[in-house]
Amino acid sequence: MIMLALILAQATDTVSLAQVREMAPAVAGEVILRNQPHGPIEAFEAPTGGMNAPGMVDGQLIERPIVIGPGCVRTRWTVKFQAAPGADISAATVIGTYAAREISWFLQDACPSGRYVHLSSGVTVDQGWEALASLREVSAAASRTRFQCADTTSSGLCKGSKAIGAALRTLLPWAVTRDADEVRVWLGVPGDAIVTEVRFNPKHLSRVIVTRKVPAPF
């Protein structure tokens, strides 16, 4: 308790990545998000490598999911850490946070601890559920759906509705974005070398655009 009080007495931007890794997730949430409303934090994740710029690390504070509508909703806080030039990355300190919501169907009548679907800024929880339900409908009725398909990876995705339907039923969604009345659902594995994107208007599912490509490097 004394150590927690001492850490809480620090300014948030002086708390290091090394300190956060030593904390229980709930304590890390209280320390980093002390001035922001948030739910109970169940996990903290921070990569040891990846695409971050030198001296930068994006950690993740993950809230306990709650039941909303047909599934579970949770908030994921990205915590940006930055180290001084030449300093060890463990000395990186907090320079900012932002939140995003994620949704998942129930798994055996309980909220899963694993795979959730990220909702981009501007996508409400209700719109996220609608997008996932529409994707299920399209997958089940692939033979009756008019697809517009493009594949730059030579995977055979665009051979016909049977191949597309199989892909839509096999690949898991990981993100939903929205542009006016059209939603985009990203399928596969986040950060994978190949991206499969499905675009449609949830109110008019007779026409669906499917694209598979290698994303441009950042």
Side-chain angles (χ1 to χ4, degrees):
M1 294 298 294
I2 295 175
M3 182 60 68
L4 175 58
L6 290 174
I7 294 174
L8 285 171
Q10 291 181 243
T12 302
D13 60 3
T14 67
V15 177
S16 71
L17 177 60
Q19 286 179 303
V20 175
R21 280 179 165 152
E22 292 296 319
M23 298 174 189
V27 174
E30 292 301 320
V31 170
I32 296 173
L33 305 174
R34 65 185 73 175
N35 296 319
Q36 304 184 70
H38 63 88
I41 301 297
E42 288 196 326
F44 173 72
E45 301 173 354
T48 55
M51 298 294 290
N52 289 105
M56 299 286 293
V57 170
D58 285 353
Q60 307 285 325
L61 289 168
I62 303 169
E63 289 188 13
R64 180 184 304 158
I66 59 175
V67 176
I68 297 180
C72 306
V73 180
R74 71 182 185 185
T75 299
R76 177 183 292 266
W77 294 84
T78 296
V79 185
K80 303 191 77 67
F81 294 87
Q82 183 174 27
D88 188 88
I89 195 63
S90 64
T93 54
V94 179
I95 61 170
T97 61
Y98 64 88
R101 285 183 292 186
E102 303 176 324
I103 61 175
S104 177
W105 303 115
F106 289 123
L107 181 62
Q108 298 178 342
D109 298 324
C111 289
S113 59
R115 188 74 172 262
Y116 278 69
V117 180
H118 168 84
L119 304 182
S120 69
S121 176
V123 178
T124 68
V125 170
D126 286 344
Q127 289 170 339
W129 291 132
E130 181 183 44
L132 295 188
S134 296
L135 180 65
R136 279 185 170 182
E137 183 178 341
V138 168
S139 302
S143 62
R144 300 190 301 275
T145 302
R146 182 164 59 91
F147 290 105
Q148 178 181 327
C149 186
D151 179 12
T152 62
T153 69
S154 302
S155 70
L157 174 68
C158 297
K159 287 182 178 179
S161 59
K162 185 175 180 179
I164 295 172
L168 298 187
R169 289 188 294 271
T170 302
L171 297 174
L172 296 176
W174 60 269
V176 175
T177 67
R178 189 177 183 92
D179 183 11
D181 293 331
E182 185 178 74
V183 298
R184 300 188 183 202
V185 182
W186 301 80
L187 308 177
V189 178
D192 200 1
I194 294 176
V195 169
T196 302
E197 173 193 291
V198 185
R199 287 192 295 157
F200 52 82
N201 182 331
K203 307 300 183 186
H204 303 284
L205 293 178
S206 59
R207 179 175 176 271
V208 177
I209 300 172
V210 181
T211 305
R212 178 169 289 172
K213 60 188 177 181
V214 176
F218 293 103

